Amino acid sequence: MNWTDLKTRAEQRATLADLFGENPSRAQEYSVQHGDMLFDYSKTQIGVEDRALLLSMAANADVAARREAMFSGMKINETEGRAVLHTALRNMSDGAIEVDGEDVMEGVRETRARMADFAEAVRSGAVKGQGGAITDVVNIGIGGSDLGPAMAVLALAPYHDGPRVHFVSNVDGADIADTLRGLDPATTLVIVASKTFTTIETMTNARTAQEWMATRVTDTGAQFAALSTAEEKTTEFGIAPERVFGFEDWVGGRYSLWGPIGLSLIIAIGADDFDAFLRGAYDMDCHFGDAPLDQNLPVMLALVGVWNNQGCGHATRAVLPYDQRLTRLPAYFQQLEMESNGKSVAMDGSTLEVNSGPVVWGEPGTNGQHAFYQLIHQGTRVVPCEFMVAREGHEPELAHQHELLVANCLAQSEALMVGRSLEEATAIMAKRGLSGTELDRQARHRVFPGNRPSTTLVYPKLTPFVLGQIIALYEHRVFVEGVMLGINSYDQWGVELGKELANALTPVLRGEASEEGKDSSTRLLLSYLRSN
Ligand SMILES: O=P(O)(O)OC[C@H]1O[C@](O)(CO)[C@@H](O)[C@@H]1O
């Protein structure tokens, strides 16, 4: 991979002002449209030759062949010996997808239908709790078994016409205590969502929920459902097989929202809207599979990421949806991107030559503007920003607020690019009557360096279909970046050591094991935490 050339080009990158000055059609030439979605990356410092280099790097990394390998069920997750087939969960074609010579689509369609039937039965009141129709659903899960449905239920609030849906993830008892307080065990359905059905946080919370329910419900198993690949463990837990929705190991946790892990979402919005959500993702899959690389939204989003991170050396990127209902999207993308591409070792075991994926963070606009945008505009570090905004909101009576929202979004990317020079700042302060050294001092504080990169994704409206497109767009972006880095985006060994150490520390905290062998800092912290 031509990382040296990329870095050299990035070091010599032109300013945004020059790039726009040289090319009056830059905005058109550096944006990609797919359906009603527009991705504008013209406000990045990518020039003609930079883009050509990035595209050739993607071609040399065999993105097209790897993409085909993923879609067709080859075991591209080599460190775990698994296929990567979250795309099968939303595949709407009639074709077969084979893993180990067997078509997986039959099982996918069957589970999809069972989920829809169960969700509709809960929504209609046909599936009841001991106290009558289900009023509340509590999804207990963590990481990929929580972030996806939690993000999507919030994002699709205007489509929510089922029972209330709550999410418990943290092993901190505060989470489940605050969630269950005020709920009626006799009309609550608890969904235990865990791919492995061993995750300590989820299993601990599930047992707490079981005890809570047993205070009022005789047959607690009838008000529990499970989403897992480990169906035998769900039986041990006491959940009836008809309430267990299984999936296969070729669905990674952070890619699992499209199947059983989406049960709370389908209960919230109904089978038809969930279907539209899957169709949106499928639409993006088809675009990703078919469009030429330079017109391919996920590919170009990935190339912008590679340019900013591995090329220019910007260590973070901010995801800034101007859409309040996407409040949980940055957290969802944190897992998607950082758990997938936060690796130091390539697929073949060699050490990466370049930085792996960036630190991803963010918050919806305009809230972020009144919090951390100061650093984005005037800090010493450059933070590439990924803005997102809908052309239309769901509240026609509040269209004037949507206009304000859009104006703010566009203003931020404009300000980041254009900035404000010392001359301009000086003129502004002089008009306010300042002069001499005080004028100079005050003007300097009001300078905006500008030339800071951002992209903007414009979508028509946050419908289930569009949300599906957006999530799939980012999933494929992660895939392309991972392929270019030569890493396995589908394992997550980096989470294991902490889990092992926590398991060993729990008995120490309970006084059942010795702290011998622990470092002195951990021992000091243990002694403080144990003293009352
Ligand atoms: O669904 P499970 O098996 O409970 O795992 C939850 C999460 O834990 C992780 O394995 C990380 O610890 C994630 O990859 C996963 O989404």
Side-chain angles (χ1 to χ4, degrees):
M1 188 58 69
N2 229 341
W3 296 113
T4 316
D5 286 359
L6 182 72
K7 285 183 195 168
T8 311
R9 287 222 61 85
E11 271 161 27
Q12 297 164 2
R13 63 193 181 271
T15 63
L16 288 172
D18 284 347
L19 289 167
F20 274 89
E22 277 159 16
N23 181 359
S25 335
R26 181 167 171 85
Q28 288 72 24
E29 288 174 20
Y30 288 76
S31 54
V32 182
Q33 210 173 330
H34 167 62
D36 272 348
M37 205 175 247
L38 174 78
F39 173 58
D40 174 11
Y41 64 97
S42 60
K43 294 190 188 93
T44 63
Q45 289 171 278
I46 297 175
V48 184
E49 289 168 37
D50 310 320
R51 183 168 60 185
L53 174 63
L54 286 161
L55 284 164
S56 76
M57 288 172 73
N60 292 341
D62 252 351
V63 164
R66 299 294 293 170
R67 181 179 62 188
E68 178 52 27
M70 175 174 72
F71 279 120
S72 63
M74 284 176 68
K75 297 197 173 171
I76 63 165
N77 174 354
E78 292 175 20
T79 55
E80 295 179 315
R82 292 175 184 170
V84 174
L85 271 183
H86 45 280
T87 50
L89 299 176
R90 62 222 189 190
N91 175 26
M92 298 290 165
S93 78
D94 297 332
I97 300 177
E98 290 190 358
V99 176
D100 292 330
E102 280 196 24
D103 180 17
V104 300
M105 282 313 299
E106 203 179 315
V108 166
R109 289 190 196 105
E110 193 193 315
T111 306
R112 214 186 269 162
R114 279 185 61 225
M115 282 170 66
D117 288 350
F118 181 70
E120 289 306 334
V122 171
R123 286 160 59 84
S124 69
V127 162
K128 291 187 178 29
Q130 190 171 306
I134 298 295
T135 55
D136 294 88
V137 173
V138 178
N139 183 87
I140 298 180
I142 196 163
S145 300
D146 164 74
L147 287 162
M151 173 275 295
V153 165
L154 181 61
L156 299 178
Y159 302 85
H160 192 153
D161 52 7
R164 289 180 291 262
V165 179
H166 314 265
F167 293 89
V168 171
S169 52
N170 203 319
V171 75
D172 182 346
D175 197 4
I176 193 155
D178 288 352
T179 306
L180 297 185
R181 190 176 304 120
L183 301 192
D184 180 355
T187 59
T188 296
L189 172 74
V190 174
I191 299 176
V192 186
S194 176
K195 180 176 166 179
T196 55
F197 231 68
T198 56
T199 304
I200 191 98
E201 292 91 334
T202 300
M203 299 325 296
T204 306
N205 278 321
R207 278 187 286 272
T208 302
Q210 213 172 27
E211 283 162 22
W212 167 80
M213 193 171 278
T215 58
R216 282 216 43 210
V217 172
T218 335
D219 180 10
T220 56
Q223 282 178 233
F224 267 68
L227 322 173
S228 185
T229 56
E231 292 177 46
E232 66 301 335
K233 294 203 173 74
T234 63
T235 314
E236 268 165 46
F237 191 85
I239 301 176
E242 64 273 17
R243 288 203 163 72
V244 176
F245 299 88
F247 54 106
E248 304 295 327
D249 68 4
W250 38 257
V251 180
R254 52 196 173 276
Y255 297 87
S256 59
L257 170 61
W258 316 101
I261 295 295
L263 185 66
S264 52
L265 177 63
I266 186 170
I267 293 175
I269 64 175
D272 289 347
D273 283 332
F274 188 77
D275 193 58
F277 174 64
L278 298 187
R279 286 181 185 282
Y282 178 62
D283 169 80
M284 188 55 70
D285 293 343
C286 295
H287 166 76
F288 177 52
D290 297 340
L293 295 189
D294 64 343
Q295 289 306 311
N296 194 308
L297 235 90
V299 172
M300 293 317 297
L301 183 60
L303 295 186
V304 168
V306 168
W307 170 259
N308 283 330
N309 180 17
Q310 285 80 17
C312 303
H314 305 316
T316 82
R317 66 173 160 240
V319 181
L320 306 167
Y322 276 64
D323 201 320
Q324 181 60 20
R325 294 194 177 104
L326 292 179
T327 294
R328 296 294 286 153
L329 191 69
Y332 178 77
F333 283 169
Q334 273 174 343
Q335 187 195 15
L336 179 64
E337 301 217 14
M338 293 164 76
E339 197 166 78
S340 296
N341 286 348
K343 320 263 161 86
S344 307
V345 174
M347 190 75 93
D348 62 6
S350 60
T351 303
L352 280 196
E353 281 173 57
V354 278
N355 285 321
S356 62
V359 176
V360 176
W361 59 289
E363 185 73 23
T366 61
N367 297 12
Q369 289 175 208
H370 298 272
F372 54 79
Y373 277 38
Q374 166 63 43
L375 180 147
I376 288 181
H377 283 290
Q378 288 188 316
T380 52
R381 291 190 178 91
V382 172
V383 179
C385 293
E386 300 190 349
F387 295 101
M388 298 182 189
V389 69
R391 217 163 30 202
E392 195 191 336
H394 279 88
E395 291 72 28
E397 69 288 4
L398 298 176
H400 62 291
Q401 295 202 203
H402 191 73
E403 281 159 11
L404 272 177
L405 182 75
V406 173
N408 271 276
C409 179
L410 298 187
Q412 293 304 320
S413 66
E414 187 184 348
L416 284 167
M417 173 167 80
V418 176
R420 177 184 282 156
S421 67
L422 182 59
E423 293 69 40
E424 287 166 323
T426 306
I428 292 167
M429 298 319 286
K431 271 198 197 142
R432 294 191 194 165
L434 296 189
S435 61
T437 53
E438 187 56 10
L439 169 62
D440 185 48
R441 186 166 76 97
Q442 292 292 350
R444 285 177 60 80
H445 286 277
R446 288 159 175 81
V447 169
F448 288 71
N451 196 33
R452 299 202 162 189
S454 70
T455 59
T456 305
L457 180 74
V458 182
Y459 47 90
K461 190 175 178 178
L462 194 59
T463 60
F465 185 87
V466 168
L467 183 68
Q469 285 181 311
I470 294 174
I471 309 295
L473 163 65
Y474 271 77
E475 284 179 350
H476 295 319
R477 178 257 193 111
V478 167
F479 168 81
V480 174
E481 289 191 9
V483 168
M484 291 180 71
L485 288 166
I487 60 180
N488 181 3
S489 299
Y490 301 101
D491 61 11
Q492 57 283 319
W493 301 110
V495 300
E496 295 304 325
L497 180 59
K499 286 185 195 173
E500 281 166 30
L501 294 177
N503 285 341
L505 278 166
T506 310
V508 178
L509 272 162
R510 290 180 181 152
E512 296 162 5
S514 148
E515 61 186 40
E516 216 181 291
K518 291 287 166 200
D519 62 86
S520 63
S521 163
T522 304
R523 284 207 310 273
L524 174 75
L525 293 167
L526 279 167
S527 76
Y528 262 71
L529 283 161
R530 280 186 305 213
S531 63
N532 282 315

